[in-house]
Structure formats: structure tokens, C-alpha cells
Amino acid sequence: MLTAPFVLDTAGALGTPEELDLDNLSPEELEKIAAPWPVHWLFPPKPGDPDRVVNLFAGPGGWDAGVRDVLEHDLDTVGVEVHKDASATARAAGFRRIIADVRSLDPKHPALRWVRGLMVSAPCQCWTPAGKRAGQDPRNQELLLDVFTAAFEATFGHWHDSGPCWEQDECLICGDPDWDGYSGFTGPLLTLDEVRAPMAELTDERIGLIAEVLIWSLSLTAQWDNLRWLAMEQSSALPETILDGIREELWSADWCSAEYRVLDAVDYGLASRRKRVFLMAARHAYVDMAALTPKAPLPTTTAAEALGWPAGIRVNTRGVRKTAGGNCWSADKPATGITSKIRGWYWEHDKDRKFSLDEAALLVGFAPGYPWTGSRSSCTQQIGDVVAPPMGCVVIGSLLREPWEHKLRIHLSKIYGHPADHSSPKESHMNGTNTTEVETEYGKVTVRRVASDTVPKNKRDWTISYEVTGPRMKGLVHVQPQFRTDDFEVLPSQVAVMMSSNRYSDTHAEFTVNGVELDDTQLFHIAEPSDAQRFDFWRRTGEHRRSELSDAGTARTRAGLRAVLETHFADELLVHDQATAYARARHRSRTFETRRSLEAKIAEAEELEQTIEGIRHRLGLLGDLEEIAAAQRPAAPPEDVPEGTPADVVELKPEPESGEVPIEALRAGDRVRATGNNTLGRTVTRDGVLLTEPKMATVQDWGKRVKKWRLYIDEPGADPTRSNSVTLWPDATVERLGAERQLALVAAA
């Protein structure tokens, strides 16, 4: 429990880590401090170093293979996995593993100070139809949501307003003589052991493992404030209630964006169906979920095509036992979802023909020869549980804004034998020889992309070379990315074109038009093909001498340049890839300056948010005053009783159909109308039956953790979920509707 007051001004400023004195320590001493993490993680990363990433429940390497082998992106990743065979598989494939229970490691370890990414794939058997589905029990879910709330209390605590609170006699913040009076989070109120303790009440302990995604992400955020992104994979049967619970706690910790989507790997070219839900979150940026959608459909691969089987094969998965879904699937379609049971699957007409490990792994996107380690049963369990590498490529690529589509197509072509550019938007304007033809006013100009040895090796990653042939023109032209002068441009949006070279250039280019060779021509700041019209050109006339090209030659050269630019800009993915390579290699300082400028804009936005919150608070006070004024209005005089009404007559009158009542007076089954906030903080009005008794809960309200009533209102028979919940302040009232009229005896006056 909290023993001393902690106050911070914003989520993420909670950590006050002490600097480690690592000077003059021996390698053995450094290893002891860093254990079980890498020694170099104790020290700040150098400019250009890959992001440091923790991979929880890392398994045999699905995420890792997706990033390294498919996306071809460099991350400094360390995985944590308790299963020894899965860890051995990952290590044999070249990935680092710590063999340990995730719950036994400390997220506040000093070696984790500069971790920027977190990947989590907790076991899913408790959620899926293939398991006992204990996670679907509402009691287990409610307990898990309480653990989520406790995880926040163990990292950030509660928000404390400026000035003394109503419990100032007992409050450790108000009671601290050194408190400066400002608002902030209280700091940790629980230990992580106390957070995890209630999980013992779950009917399946694996249900609670999904809470580690919050325990680790919130701990890293509160302690170090360097975590920038999170990727979580889980069964598609995971209830939305749990996903929304994770998102709410991340938002409470000032994470900018947290989104989730169910993806089927078959839609991304995999030869088997594999539905999983992926949650993607970013600390200081918005997650672009549209980036998960390929620009054109990826090739569909049947199991038979992927495995090289003849047509007509049917695979038996359950022997002679019949089920509602059948016990066979056709290999002429993508395979059904691969599970550990594949160890016993066989050809329907040949019981001795079973799947090899390579065949099973190929169906989930691994290249043949992956070093599966352990017994056959252990290996098929690893294959059934692993994150499919193509999906790791898609999700991490989208989250980090790395172009993934073309690289995924290349990977699929390698393992399934499809042409790399099959159905690809990349080079879709070209034929198989990377050649395109452009109509100009001088006739048809042919532009062919080539790999040129005239470009120095240190420039080839971002230089595109084209051979140009057309009516009275030919040459070798190079196109390179170029920045504008805009401080906020992270990637270059313009290009420079080399059409000839001089004695000072290390890149040779040439262009001849009307039999005349251009001289010393490099063109800058080109944003679109029409920019070709603004350039003039020079001809070579002798040793170090030149003269202006004729008007006819200039016009023809502009046409050839426009053909090159149209070809280049049409290949959007290639342009983006080269721009990224150029920015990384040549303009690291610009990235730093851009981030600094963006941080200044973010600070301005945060100041504006504080102003808006102040206005909202004043509007709330005004609303309270209006309610008080209405309550103090004098009652209307009583109506006159008509003459002749007997005094002893008792009249039956219905109780009023509606009326404002305190929330504590409500009972389950009452028909009510309530206006409050939904789980996203938006104001909503819900009409219907109160599904459960009113419950006081801790919720997030404009950056503060507060106590509110939580009501579940829907049609009779509906289940209470976050989609039909509404939260109201403790002193709020609710309109009770008179759907069930009760007769009351009212004596006539």
C-alpha cells in the first residue's frame, strides 16, 4: 500500500528513476545488474540503433520471423517464454529468449528503461472453442476487469485534484506538509503481487495472463515513459468487454490511440485460415487501421498448391468421429485453422500419409527448414499456437508505418511459388521486364528500370535508374529523393533527377537528344511530372565548354524527362521505400528536428486541452446553479376542490408515470431513462430496463479516476455489457418511467 505521497503532473511523469553509476564496472558486474536482460540495454541507445522491444509469451518466433524475415525490419527484441522447447526453437532460429514465467520478471528493471515496443501473445486456449472456454464465464470476466483496474492503481494510482480533498484528514497527499498543492496522480497504491493475487479465484489461471499486457505496458509507461507502441495478438473469441477494458486503462494512462481488429490470415495470402484479434496501441500517435488493408487483393493459395499436392486430396482431422462441422476438409481450398491436432491429420484415402512439420509450418507462413525443436507433439503445439509470420509483418509494419505489402508478396512467392509481383500494385504499370511505354507529343518513349553499376554503393538504396529510348532520344537517368525546406517533412516528398554528369560527380548519367549530349544536368525540387516544363538544358560543345540547347532539343528533352517522371511517380510503394531509405541514411538530424517541432505543437495542444477542461468545469458549475435555482422555485398553489365532493370518498389514481429519483433508490427491473457517459467518455441517453442493481465503480473522466454509478440499461433479457452501460455522478438522479403502473389510494381533498 501507499506509504508516502507521490504526485506527478501528467501520466508518464510518474517515474523518477535514479541514474545508475555504471562507470568502472567489470563485464561480470554489468551482467549481474542487467540479468536476465542484455548488458547493452543498461545504456542509452545510440542514434540509429533499432528499437528495443520486449516480446512476452514469445513462443517459437512468430512475431520475430514476421519482422526479420518478412518485413525485413531491424528490431532489438528479447522474448520471454516459459516453454523450453519453444525457446529452443526460437534460439535455433536466431532469436533471443529468456526462459521464465512472465510474472516472475520486474517491468521496472533498470535494463528496460529504453524499451520502446511491447509485443504480447498470452495463451488463448481459455477463450477458444477448442478449449473449455472458461474465459467466457461472466464471473471470470468481471474479476479480470477488476484486475485491470488494480493494474492502473499499482502504477499510476488515482488522480488527486489541486487543493485539499474531502478526506484530507486521512489523505496521504493532503496530509503531507511538503505537498505543493498541485493536482496529479497519487502514484502506486498496490504492489504487482497484490494486483495478481485475485487471479487465484479464476477458474482457469490462464485467463489472468492477458492482464500482463496492462501490467507491463502501464509499468513501463509510469516508470520510464519511453514505451511508444504495443501489439497484442489473441484469439478472435476474446470478448469485446475485455478488449475495451484494456483500451480504457491505456487511455487513462495518456496513451493516444488503442484500436483492435479481427484479421484472417487467409486474406493475406496464407494457405490456411487463422482468425486472430490484434490490438495495436501508440503512446504519442494515432494508429492507422487503414494501413492493415492491402492496396490490392493478395494471391489466394490453396493447401494443395502450397504443399505441392495433387488435386482432389481430402484431409481427415477426426478419424471416424463425425461432428457438425464434418471431419474432413478439401486441400483444393485454403486449409482449416491449424491447431496442435495436425499431428494426427492424414489423407482420407491414405491413413499413413500424415503432415510433416515443414508442411504444417508452411500452412501458417514459415519457410521450409525452420528449426522446430522437441517431440512431434511439442512441435505441432508450437505451430498451432504461434503468431503467423505474415501477420506479424502486417501488424508491426502497419504500427511502425513500414511498407509491408510488397515484402509480404515476395515472402509468399518464396514459400508458395507465386510470382513476386502477382496482383501487386507495385510496378502494376509495368510488365514483367520493369518496362513501361509513355505516349508523348514526339511518339512513344520506352522507360525501363535498371540496376546501374554507375551508382556508388552508398547511394543505391535510394537511387532509381532508368534507361530511356524514344524518337531521337536515349540515355541513362537517375532519380533520387529530396526534401523540401518544410521542417515538418519526415520523409522527402520531392525528387532530384540526374540526366548527365560532370567531372566532379561520382554518379554517371547521360542523355542524348537529336544526336546532342547533355552536359552537367541535375534537376532539383521536382514534385510531379509537369515540373519538367520549367527546366532548360545545356549541350556539351568541347573540353569544359557548353552552350544552351536549341528550342527543339529542349522541348524533346522535356518530353523524355516527363516520361521518366510519370513512370517513377506511378510506382508509389517504390517511391516511399526509397524516400524512407534516404531519410534514414542522410537526414537523421532532420528527424530529430521534426520530432522537436512536433513536441512543441503537442505541448501547445495540451495547453489548449487544459483551457477547454477549465471551461467545461465552469459550464458544469453553471448547470449545477441552474438546478439549484429550479429546486428553490416556490411550489404552485393547490387547486380548488370542486364543491359537492364528499369528504369520505376515496378515489383510485395511478402513480405518476415518471419521476426523478436518486440512483440508490433504483432496483433491477425498473424502466428508466438516464443521461451520462459511455465507455468512450461521450454523453449518451439510454432508455430501457435496468438490467442489474446500480453499482459504484471507478472510471476515467477527463484524465481523472473518479467514483461513479454504473448502470446497465437495455431491453429485457439483454446481458449487461459495456455497450449498454452508462456512468453517472454519485449525486445524480435518474428518471424512472411508469411502464408498470401501480394504483395508489389517494384521499380526495
Side-chain angles (χ1 to χ4, degrees):
M1 297 296 292
L2 184 65
T3 57
F6 298 88
V7 178
L8 67 158
D9 54 2
T10 179
L14 183 65
T16 54
E18 297 181 0
E19 294 290 341
L20 288 176
D21 185 7
L22 303 176
D23 296 335
N24 304 318
L25 295 182
S26 66
E28 293 76 15
E29 291 172 323
L30 290 174
E31 286 184 5
K32 185 176 180 179
I33 295 174
W37 307 98
V39 170
H40 72 274
W41 277 22
L42 290 172
F43 301 92
K46 299 177 181 178
D49 283 355
D51 283 356
R52 295 174 184 175
V53 178
V54 172
N55 185 0
L56 303 180
F57 311 101
W63 284 113
D64 308 87
V67 173
R68 184 194 68 182
D69 301 338
V70 187
L71 187 61
E72 297 179 342
H73 184 69
D74 192 15
L75 291 177
D76 186 0
T77 305
V78 175
V80 180
E81 174 57 52
V82 71
H83 194 280
K84 293 183 179 179
D85 287 346
S87 296
T89 297
R91 286 175 172 173
F95 306 122
R96 285 177 293 189
R97 286 292 180 270
I98 296 172
I99 303 178
D101 187 323
V102 167
R103 297 167 292 185
S104 69
L105 301 179
D106 182 9
K108 299 179 181 180
H109 193 292
L112 303 181
R113 179 168 186 168
W114 288 279
V115 167
R116 295 180 67 84
L118 181 66
M119 298 186 288
V120 187
S121 299
C124 62
Q125 293 87 346
C126 54
W127 308 103
T128 63
K132 295 183 178 180
R133 307 191 71 181
Q136 304 298 334
D137 186 334
R139 292 170 297 179
N140 285 332
Q141 292 182 26
E142 197 65 34
L143 183 57
L144 184 58
L145 292 174
D146 290 341
V147 171
F148 290 175
T149 301
F152 193 93
E153 294 176 348
T155 50
F156 289 90
H158 291 302
W159 184 268
H160 192 288
D161 284 323
S162 59
C165 66
W166 63 284
E167 293 180 328
Q168 54 183 303
D169 293 337
E170 301 176 6
C171 178
L172 294 177
I173 301 298
C174 300
D176 179 22
D178 296 327
W179 178 45
D180 56 13
Y182 289 106
S183 60
F185 284 99
T186 61
L189 302 173
L190 301 171
T191 67
L192 295 186
D193 287 339
E194 290 173 323
V195 173
R196 295 183 177 114
M199 298 181 194
E201 301 177 28
L202 296 168
T203 58
D204 186 334
E205 68 168 351
R206 293 174 297 183
I207 299 172
L209 294 178
I210 200 171
E212 298 302 319
V213 70
L214 279 176
I215 290 173
W216 279 73
S217 59
L218 294 179
S219 294
L220 291 171
T221 303
Q223 181 71 14
W224 309 117
D225 196 26
N226 281 318
L227 191 64
R228 290 296 177 267
W229 55 268
L230 161 70
M232 185 191 83
E233 179 262 0
Q234 189 51 250
S235 164
S236 59
L238 184 68
E240 290 192 6
T241 303
I242 304 303
L243 288 162
D244 289 338
I246 294 173
R247 296 168 75 202
E248 285 186 17
E249 301 304 332
L250 290 173
W251 289 333
S252 298
D254 282 354
W255 278 64
C256 182
S257 180
E259 305 294 338
Y260 60 83
R261 181 177 295 177
V262 174
L263 304 177
D264 191 342
V266 77
D267 296 329
Y268 294 86
L270 213 66
S272 65
R273 298 195 172 277
R274 200 173 188 82
K275 277 191 176 183
R276 297 289 188 271
V277 63
F278 290 90
L279 183 142
M280 302 157 60
R283 178 84 164 91
H284 298 303
Y286 287 99
V287 175
D288 182 12
M289 299 302 283
L292 292 169
T293 305
K295 293 182 172 61
L298 284 111
T300 300
T301 306
T302 69
E305 290 170 341
L307 303 176
W309 290 357
I313 298 296
R314 291 182 60 80
V315 176
N316 186 296
T317 62
R318 296 180 176 88
V320 298
R321 183 164 58 93
K322 300 291 184 180
T323 66
N327 62 347
C328 287
W329 53 267
S330 172
D332 294 330
K333 298 178 180 180
T336 187
I338 304 303
T339 70
S340 62
K341 303 298 184 182
I342 196 174
R343 64 182 179 272
W345 296 359
Y346 57 85
W347 286 10
E348 187 177 31
H349 68 282
D350 184 357
K351 291 186 177 181
D352 294 329
R353 178 57 170 91
K354 296 184 178 181
F355 283 80
S356 69
L357 293 180
D358 269 351
E359 286 177 327
L362 194 62
L363 293 178
V364 297
F366 283 90
Y370 199 76
W372 303 103
T373 305
S375 65
R376 177 176 173 82
S377 177
S378 174
C379 291
T380 54
Q381 184 71 55
Q382 296 172 46
I383 294 170
D385 294 342
V386 75
V387 176
M391 302 313 298
C393 164
V394 172
V395 173
I396 299 300
S398 300
L399 190 55
L400 301 185
R401 302 182 186 275
E402 287 286 329
W404 57 264
E405 187 171 342
H406 183 60
K407 294 175 181 177
L408 175 57
R409 294 179 190 277
I410 291 175
H411 178 74
L412 295 174
S413 73
K414 290 179 180 177
I415 65 174
Y416 293 153
H418 291 291
D421 293 317
H422 179 69
S423 301
S424 173
K426 187 178 180 68
E427 303 172 6
S428 59
H429 60 293
M430 294 184 171
N431 62 24
T433 60
N434 291 346
T435 301
T436 188
E437 294 181 340
V438 181
E439 288 290 345
T440 71
E441 59 269 36
Y442 297 98
K444 192 173 293 184
V445 175
T446 301
V447 181
R448 185 167 70 94
R449 197 173 78 224
V450 296
S452 176
D453 293 335
T454 64
V455 180
K457 289 183 178 180
N458 62 336
K459 297 181 180 180
R460 290 179 188 173
D461 285 346
W462 63 82
T463 302
I464 311 300
S465 303
Y466 297 98
E467 281 186 356
V468 183
T469 56
R472 304 182 68 181
M473 68 176 75
K474 65 178 181 178
L476 175 66
V477 179
H478 306 296
V479 181
Q480 297 176 336
Q482 185 182 31
F483 281 101
R484 301 192 316 264
T485 57
D486 186 355
D487 290 339
F488 290 100
E489 189 175 36
V490 178
L491 295 180
S493 61
Q494 299 182 349
V495 298
V497 178
M498 297 180 65
M499 300 186 70
S500 68
S501 55
N502 59 36
R503 58 179 175 167
Y504 303 108
S505 175
D506 59 355
T507 303
H508 175 74
E510 59 186 11
F511 197 88
T512 301
V513 59
N514 293 340
V516 176
E517 185 177 356
L518 299 188
D519 180 53
D520 193 13
T521 302
Q522 186 164 0
L523 314 173
F524 298 96
H525 299 296
I526 299 173
E528 53 188 17
S530 60
D531 289 339
Q533 295 301 118
R534 60 185 173 84
F535 293 104
D536 292 320
F537 305 92
W538 298 84
R539 61 182 292 179
R540 186 168 297 165
T541 59
E543 187 68 24
H544 311 313
R545 300 177 63 185
R546 64 179 187 170
S547 63
E548 193 169 353
L549 195 63
S550 66
D551 291 344
T554 296
R556 192 177 291 268
T557 304
R558 286 173 177 168
L561 173 59
R562 191 172 63 253
V564 171
L565 293 174
E566 288 180 3
T567 302
H568 180 75
F569 285 120
D571 196 345
E572 295 180 359
L573 289 177
L574 181 66
V575 171
H576 183 276
D577 289 350
Q578 305 313 308
T580 302
Y582 181 76
R584 285 178 175 169
R586 289 297 183 90
H587 287 268
R588 296 187 188 281
S589 60
R590 175 180 286 270
T591 301
F592 172 76
E593 293 169 0
T594 302
R595 287 177 177 170
R596 185 168 56 185
S597 300
L598 290 174
E599 287 171 357
K601 292 295 182 183
I602 291 172
E604 292 178 13
E606 290 175 347
E607 184 176 351
L608 180 60
E609 283 183 5
Q610 292 177 358
T611 302
I612 293 173
E613 186 174 349
I615 294 172
R616 174 185 169 90
H617 180 66
R618 279 179 280 176
L619 287 173
L621 291 177
L622 180 61
D624 292 341
L625 291 174
E626 290 176 350
E627 290 182 8
I628 293 172
Q632 293 178 344
R633 182 179 179 183
E639 297 182 0
D640 293 335
V641 179
E643 292 184 4
T645 302
D648 59 346
V649 173
V650 177
E651 184 180 4
L652 291 176
K653 290 187 177 181
E655 189 178 330
E657 294 189 4
S658 62
E660 295 290 335
V661 298
I663 295 177
E664 55 265 25
L666 297 176
R667 294 294 179 265
D670 288 349
R671 182 167 289 276
V672 298
R673 178 184 294 114
T675 299
N677 298 112
N678 64 7
T679 56
L680 298 179
R682 297 171 182 161
T683 301
V684 297
T685 298
R686 302 198 191 281
D687 290 352
V689 171
L690 191 60
L691 302 177
T692 64
E693 299 292 326
K695 176 183 177 182
M696 190 69 73
T698 301
V699 299
Q700 173 74 7
D701 186 85
W702 284 79
K704 301 178 182 179
R705 305 283 291 181
V706 298
K707 289 286 188 179
K708 281 189 172 184
W709 288 108
R710 174 167 283 163
L711 308 180
Y712 296 95
I713 303 172
D714 209 330
E715 292 304 315
D719 292 328
T721 66
R722 300 215 168 193
S723 62
N724 56 29
S725 70
V726 60
T727 59
L728 299 93
W729 290 103
D731 57 351
T733 59
V734 170
E735 183 180 3
R736 181 160 55 191
L737 306 177
E740 301 293 337
R741 298 188 177 184
Q742 297 178 354
L743 296 179
L745 292 175
V746 179

